[in-house]
Amino acid sequence: MTLLSAQQLNLSRRDQPCLAQVDLTLEPGELVGLIGPNGAGKSSLLQCLAGLTQPDSGSIRVQQQPLHSIAPEQRGRLLGYLAQQGEIHWPISVERLVSLGRTSHLNSWQQPSADDLAIVEQALQQTDTLHLRHRRATELSGGERSRVLLARLLAGEPQLLLADEPTAALDPAHQLSLMQILRNFVQTGRSALVVLHDLNLASRFCHRVVMMDQARIVASGPADQVLTPERLAQVYGIRSAVIQHPQAGLSILPYEVIATAASSLEDY
Amino acid sequence: MTVFSPRPMSLYLSLGLALLVLSLVSLSLGSSRFPLEQALAELFSEGQGIYSLILVELRLARTLVALIVGASLGVCGAALQGLLRNPLASPGLLGSSSGAALCAVITLYFGLHSELPWLLPLAGIGGALLATALVYLIAGRDSSITTIILAGVAVNATCAAGISLAINLAPSPYATSEIALWLLGDLSKTSLDSLWLMLPFSLLGWLLLAGCGRGLNALSLGEQTAQSMGINLPRLRLRLFIATALAVGAAVATVGSIGFIGLVVPHLLRPMVGYDPARLLPASALGGALMLLLADMGVRLINTQTPLQVGVLTALVGAPFFLTLIIRSRREAL
């Protein structure tokens, strides 16, 4: 059964299109990388799919049910959303922060049970943050913070994970282990849509890559079909070498900004 | 730095115990000295004597009103600080305090309260509801925190202007002094009647706040994340607006404006509950009650020619105390 299907999504803000006729489906077991230049509409798409922004038109269904008809608590259990700028407002402990992931599983008066706490501990372990559990969440480094926020998401045990640039603040080792966590996450029939700027991570770990440009989806499929030098030139305005490496697989090496794109950048 | 791992129950219990002891001390404080045993004996015998009357009608009423007002100010301060994720939010930020004060001052201005004493608190509660509704309507349903704060500032400023006008144009010096003293906060005129009048509004406000803890906790991670976790943000906001209008409105309408309790108490207790916004709610209610009770005992013990108003004492103690807290937290951040 398709986990999520979005059809003909349109969204504009101040007369600027953010999404134009976007169609997207996510199947169980799929890790999908959402890529595209800045301002292409990736975050807007994620927010619509998470039910945080109402599209101007189009339909979104999660497990066959229209998204708007799903009660907020149930939506919270089905979908996990990781915002681009992860906010943490009070210096609560890391453990307490991660246990907030259980919010949609508990009612207003319920305290987390032993089972909930075991799930929280597992999420801390998975993200290599168990040693941080008593630290103040506001005093973590950028990378620790990203991992802790991901742990919060995993503790919610959603069916579908929507993450906006989760690897942005991470060092290479933690980038690789985070992508591996996402691979493991989808193995049990769940799925994840992840906004990525690192094309190599997208090609190495994602089952499918969806490329957006100027509010539209311009390509979707396996990495080797989507990440071609021609398309990268067209969408990103870069010249790149696409190399097959025996261990790393398909690797993309951008080496030059195409002159026309460069001159348009200089106009700023 | 690690977070002090809190045991909220022991904090609640110690605050509760301190409240109980201080309430008993508060009952024995007053201008007339009499044996407490005799008052209690009168209470449990058939005929009512003067001692039991003083004990119940004056001291018990005053103590209970202090507890309820303090608890309302504390819990509403904690709730608003959680909603706006701003430790500087005070319970009156959404207009309830100034709206209540304005309508109460209008009643005092026209001298209506001397014939209809119940009108003063009722007008105050009405004013609080009106002013909060105005802030809610101006800010809109899905507004940002900044818009809510600005709408609150605008409505508070309008109410303050109205109060100034009333003082300026007051019909007699007596009315001016009555308005000015009322605004300073006063528990000495409370009675069992005022207690019964404020109680249902306060209880309703607390009840509405009691279910907000989960939403406030989720808001620690920002509005988008909280919504994605299944929190109905517009509903949470509306609930908090109504709750503070009722609880703070009833408090200000009964005893006048009492500052700093709603600001300082949550700030002081936050580290003791591990910065958890939900656990802070009951802790701040107990802490607020404790602080106002202490302040009220203070004004009764401090001998001044003109009686000291309780709002003056909370401000005198609260402001430097708040300053120390800020300096200490700045040092910790370095």
Side-chain angles (χ1 to χ4, degrees):
Chain A
M1 184 172 73
T2 302
L3 255 181
L4 177 134
S5 81
Q7 279 173 342
Q8 292 295 301
L9 295 186
N10 289 292
L11 175 73
S12 54
R13 281 186 189 141
R14 293 189 196 94
D15 293 332
Q16 288 290 314
C18 298
L19 297 175
Q21 290 154 17
V22 168
D23 289 322
L24 182 77
T25 55
L26 289 172
E27 302 297 333
E30 236 187 349
L31 172 58
V32 178
L34 185 59
I35 60 166
N38 297 130
K42 305 181 296 294
S43 296
S44 301
L45 176 57
L46 231 58
Q47 284 170 10
C48 282
L49 299 179
L52 302 173
T53 304
Q54 181 74 30
D56 299 336
S57 62
S59 81
I60 301 169
R61 286 173 172 270
V62 178
Q63 290 183 334
Q64 317 288 354
Q65 291 181 74
L67 182 61
H68 61 82
S69 74
I70 303 176
E73 278 92 3
Q74 201 200 341
R75 199 188 61 211
R77 286 192 291 272
L78 274 175
L79 304 176
Y81 170 75
L82 190 65
Q84 193 171 8
Q85 268 106 25
E87 299 171 39
I88 304 174
H89 289 283
W90 303 111
I92 49 175
S93 72
V94 165
E95 191 171 29
R96 190 80 189 142
L97 188 156
V98 175
S99 68
L100 287 179
R102 302 300 296 164
T103 298
S104 55
H105 296 265
L106 305 169
N107 66 36
S108 295
W109 306 98
Q110 236 175 335
Q111 288 296 314
S113 66
D115 286 347
D116 291 314
L117 295 178
I119 293 165
V120 168
E121 179 135 355
Q122 200 188 349
L124 286 165
Q125 245 159 9
Q126 272 183 303
T127 51
D128 187 23
T129 51
L130 197 58
H131 61 289
L132 303 172
R133 65 196 301 171
H134 299 304
R135 286 266 300 276
R136 288 185 181 186
T138 43
E139 291 174 1
L140 302 172
S141 74
E144 289 169 339
R145 195 183 168 101
S146 302
R147 276 147 54 208
V148 164
L149 289 172
L150 179 75
R152 191 277 299 166
L153 200 60
L154 295 175
E157 298 185 306
Q159 287 302 305
L160 178 64
L161 196 148
L162 304 162
D164 205 344
E165 295 187 39
T167 60
L170 299 180
D171 60 47
H174 281 111
Q175 285 186 3
L176 292 173
S177 64
L178 183 134
M179 292 308 291
Q180 193 54 52
I181 292 169
L182 294 179
R183 270 298 274 239
N184 298 343
F185 174 83
V186 301
Q187 257 170 13
T188 47
R190 301 182 282 189
S191 68
L193 179 66
V194 187
V195 173
L196 292 169
H197 275 304
D198 189 321
L199 303 177
N200 291 311
L201 288 178
S203 84
R204 169 133 168 67
F205 289 96
C206 295
H207 298 106
R208 187 154 59 95
V209 176
V210 173
M211 188 187 259
M212 286 189 77
D213 187 27
Q214 294 175 15
R216 291 169 189 277
I217 290 180
V218 291
S220 170
D224 55 352
Q225 288 173 24
V226 174
L227 302 174
T228 58
E230 300 74 35
R231 196 170 276 123
L232 292 173
Q234 199 183 356
V235 170
Y236 285 96
I238 50 170
R239 269 189 248 284
S240 46
V242 177
I243 307 157
Q244 272 293 346
H245 185 272
Q247 273 89 40
L250 188 79
S251 304
I252 294 103
L253 191 68
Y255 60 88
E256 192 178 37
V257 177
I258 295 171
T260 50
S263 62
S264 71
L265 278 177
E266 279 161 12
D267 287 344
Y268 284 95
Chain B
M1 194 182 282
T2 57
V3 181
F4 161 66
S5 116
R7 289 184 198 286
M9 217 23 107
S10 52
L11 176 70
Y12 300 157
L13 282 178
S14 24
L15 285 171
L17 196 68
L19 269 182
L20 197 69
V21 172
L22 284 173
S23 300
L24 291 176
V25 177
S26 162
L27 285 178
S28 66
L29 282 182
S31 46
S32 60
R33 292 183 183 279
F34 60 86
L36 207 58
E37 310 88 66
Q38 197 173 338
L40 290 171
E42 276 182 22
L43 258 186
F44 294 107
S45 65
E46 294 271 314
Q48 283 233 325
I50 180 77
Y51 293 141
S52 64
L53 204 67
I54 292 176
L55 186 69
V56 174
E57 285 289 332
L58 299 178
R59 295 188 186 173
L60 183 68
R62 182 174 184 156
T63 304
L64 288 177
V65 168
L67 294 180
I68 295 170
V69 169
S72 288
L73 294 175
V75 74
C76 289
L80 283 186
Q81 291 178 8
L83 177 74
L84 304 173
R85 281 149 285 146
N86 188 333
L88 292 177
S90 68
L93 188 79
L94 300 181
S96 55
S97 199
S98 60
L102 177 62
C103 284
V105 163
I106 291 173
T107 318
L108 291 169
Y109 179 90
F110 290 108
L112 300 170
H113 63 294
S114 47
E115 282 177 34
L116 308 164
W118 49 265
L119 192 66
L120 186 65
L122 223 54
I125 294 166
L129 286 167
L130 270 176
T132 313
L134 201 60
V135 172
Y136 188 78
L137 289 175
I138 295 172
R141 198 166 168 268
D142 298 313
S143 49
S144 69
I145 292 178
T146 318
T147 319
I148 296 178
I149 293 176
L150 286 176
V153 168
V155 170
N156 281 332
T158 313
C159 291
I163 292 169
S164 305
L165 186 70
I167 296 175
N168 193 174
L169 302 179
S172 67
Y174 175 72
T176 314
S177 127
E178 202 179 20
I179 291 172
L181 281 177
W182 186 87
L183 283 172
L184 297 178
D186 185 10
L187 281 158
S188 67
K189 294 185 188 69
T190 48
S191 64
L192 278 182
D193 288 340
S194 50
L195 173 72
W196 294 128
L197 200 67
M198 75 178 299
L199 194 62
F201 298 99
S202 311
L203 286 179
L204 193 59
W206 298 352
L207 206 67
L208 283 170
L209 286 177
C212 290
R214 191 173 70 132
L216 293 177
N217 271 354
L219 270 177
S220 310
L221 300 179
E223 297 195 349
Q224 279 200 334
T225 306
Q227 273 184 299
S228 78
M229 284 154 74
I231 301 300
N232 188 335
L233 213 52
R235 195 188 291 173
L236 178 72
R237 254 185 206 171
L238 183 63
R239 206 175 157 133
L240 271 163
F241 268 74
I242 297 173
T244 49
L246 289 169
V248 177
V252 175
T254 313
V255 302
S257 307
I258 294 174
F260 279 98
I261 288 188
L263 189 64
V264 172
V265 167
H267 206 79
L268 184 70
L269 294 173
R270 192 169 280 118
M272 298 185 204
V273 292
Y275 298 88
D276 184 305
R279 288 175 179 167
L280 187 61
L281 294 178
S284 296
L286 293 168
L290 191 65
M291 193 176 245
L292 187 56
L293 192 62
L294 274 171
D296 186 44
M297 286 162 69
V299 295
R300 279 185 281 171
L301 286 171
I302 299 167
N303 220 345
T304 46
Q305 212 163 21
T306 317
L308 195 60
Q309 302 289 93
V310 69
V312 178
L313 188 65
T314 59
L316 274 175
V317 177
F321 185 69
F322 194 54
L323 207 64
T324 347
L325 280 179
I326 296 169
I327 292 171
R328 204 201 303 162
S329 69
R330 206 188 62 176
R331 261 198 221 125
E332 270 176 24
L334 288 176

